[in-house]
Amino acid sequence: MKELVRPSRLAPGARVAVVAPSGPVAEERLQAGLDLLRGWDLDPVVAPHVLDRHGRLPHLAGTDADRAADLQRAWCDPRVDAVLCARGGYGAQRVVDLLDWDAMRAAGPKVFVGFSDATTLHEAFAVRLGLVTLYGPVAAGIDFIKNARAQEHLRATLFAPETVRTVGAARPVRPALASGRARGVTLGGCLTLLATGHGTPHTRSGARGGLLLLEDVGEQPYAVDRALTQLLRTGWLDGVHGVLLGSWDRCGSYEALRPVLVDRLAGLGVPVVEEFGFGHCEGALTMPLGVPATLDADEGTLTLDESALR
């Protein structure tokens, strides 16, 4: 697991492009998110197809070709300093193979923010661009629009990343699922996307040497078991140094889910911290991916060796 290139932090006046590589976007939420970004003295621009709806597949924000074109055009625009996803949902797997990764690499590093379905893109940005990305709130997301903690942690990460080098422990810490400290490079995201993406182009072959972030939404305990078992059986988790568990929204009761997490992860013999506060939860933290860090499972903290952005 190698350290990746850190993009530059944002400054007042920076232009940020908002794209929709996955599910359809609610216009009123998008406008609220844009207003918030303008309040940060950023210059948000909306890609042409963000408010599109696919004619036959209502779970997609427009056609695959248009969603891919929006993302690539935004990334390759030299006037754009950061690209933010408008929402998650589903669809990034359908566009990732349509992108011209050579052209995007030539455009140079810039900030990429998204979570949930954007896990597919985080993996691709790491593999094809060698770039640190931010697993954080989406521009039209309820948490971003309405939760001050989510807003401020993302804002600090974008503008003053040295102030958030230690992440977590903002609340009482549940005893670690597996105690200890570990060092590694951060990676991960949504469990289902990691499991279904394994073995496909633009994804890593495993988590060896990494500190793995895992969360999910809308999956019952047996489905979480199935995805973790898939990663265990394929050897994808071999050599992982530590695990951070985020939120499990609408994944059944946590009392029913926790035994699955214990059963599947405790045997790795590495520190595992749960309820870390990222993902599909209120006040979600922004988690840098691709940065060397130290996990203290007992204190519930992740300390980055250096800030996520330069």
Side-chain angles (χ1 to χ4, degrees):
M1 191 64 56
K2 63 180 182 179
E3 177 181 354
L4 304 181
V5 173
R6 297 179 299 147
S8 297
R9 70 186 66 198
L10 300 187
R15 175 166 288 187
V16 296
V18 177
V19 299
S22 303
V25 178
E27 185 172 6
E28 64 276 12
R29 291 188 188 178
L30 175 63
Q31 293 304 323
L34 295 174
D35 288 343
L36 184 58
L37 294 171
R38 294 185 186 104
W40 293 359
D41 200 17
L42 293 171
D43 176 22
V45 293
V46 180
H49 300 285
V50 165
L51 294 175
D52 283 6
R53 298 289 192 273
H54 194 288
R56 299 184 313 279
L57 303 174
H59 55 279
L60 299 175
T63 67
D64 295 346
D66 286 341
R67 300 195 323 278
D70 275 1
L71 175 55
Q72 184 167 318
R73 187 180 301 112
W75 193 264
C76 293
D77 186 339
R79 300 168 296 174
V80 169
D81 302 294
V83 175
L84 279 61
C85 293
R87 66 156 292 186
Y90 170 76
Q93 287 186 320
R94 296 172 58 113
V95 305
V96 67
D97 296 324
L98 302 180
L99 298 169
D100 184 341
W101 290 102
D102 291 335
M104 292 174 68
R105 187 182 305 107
K110 56 187 67 176
V111 177
F112 177 75
V113 186
F115 84 117
S116 193
D117 192 57
T119 298
T120 297
L121 297 172
H122 286 291
E123 276 289 288
F125 275 70
V127 171
R128 298 306 303 268
L129 304 184
L131 191 63
V132 168
T133 54
L134 301 178
Y135 195 81
V138 290
I142 287 290
D143 200 45
F144 177 62
I145 296 167
K146 295 189 174 182
N147 189 281
R149 180 175 184 242
Q151 294 167 8
E152 290 308 310
H153 197 258
L154 175 59
R155 184 177 184 177
T157 304
L158 293 175
F159 289 97
E162 68 282 354
T163 67
V164 286
R165 278 186 52 195
T166 296
V167 185
R171 50 176 176 69
V173 177
R174 178 192 284 265
L177 189 151
S179 297
R181 290 167 58 92
R183 293 197 74 258
V185 176
T186 56
L187 78 158
C190 183
L191 170 62
T192 297
L193 273 298
L194 292 170
T196 56
H198 178 47
T200 61
H202 323 307
T203 61
R204 277 174 279 219
S205 59
R208 182 174 299 275
L211 296 177
L212 177 61
L213 283 64
L214 293 176
E215 61 97 17
D216 217 318
V217 60
E219 301 290 347
Q220 291 300 306
Y222 81 89
V224 173
D225 185 324
R226 178 171 59 200
L228 289 173
T229 300
Q230 163 76 358
L231 295 181
L232 287 165
R233 292 182 65 215
T234 60
W236 197 87
L237 292 173
D238 291 354
V240 68
H241 284 184
V243 180
L244 297 86
L245 300 175
S247 65
W248 303 94
D249 184 42
R250 289 177 281 139
C251 292
S253 71
Y254 197 68
E255 291 72 19
L257 177 64
R258 191 172 190 268
V260 172
L261 301 174
V262 172
D263 182 82
R264 296 287 75 191
L265 297 174
L268 293 173
V270 302
V272 181
V273 63
E274 55 188 318
E275 297 186 325
F276 200 81
F278 64 89
H280 297 76
C281 59
E282 186 175 348
L285 299 168
T286 298
M287 305 295 291
L289 302 179
V291 180
T294 298
L295 168 66
D296 188 325
D298 301 293
E299 293 295 324
T301 58
L302 178 75
T303 303
L304 309 178
D305 284 8
E306 54 190 358
S307 60
L309 305 178
R310 294 186 286 112

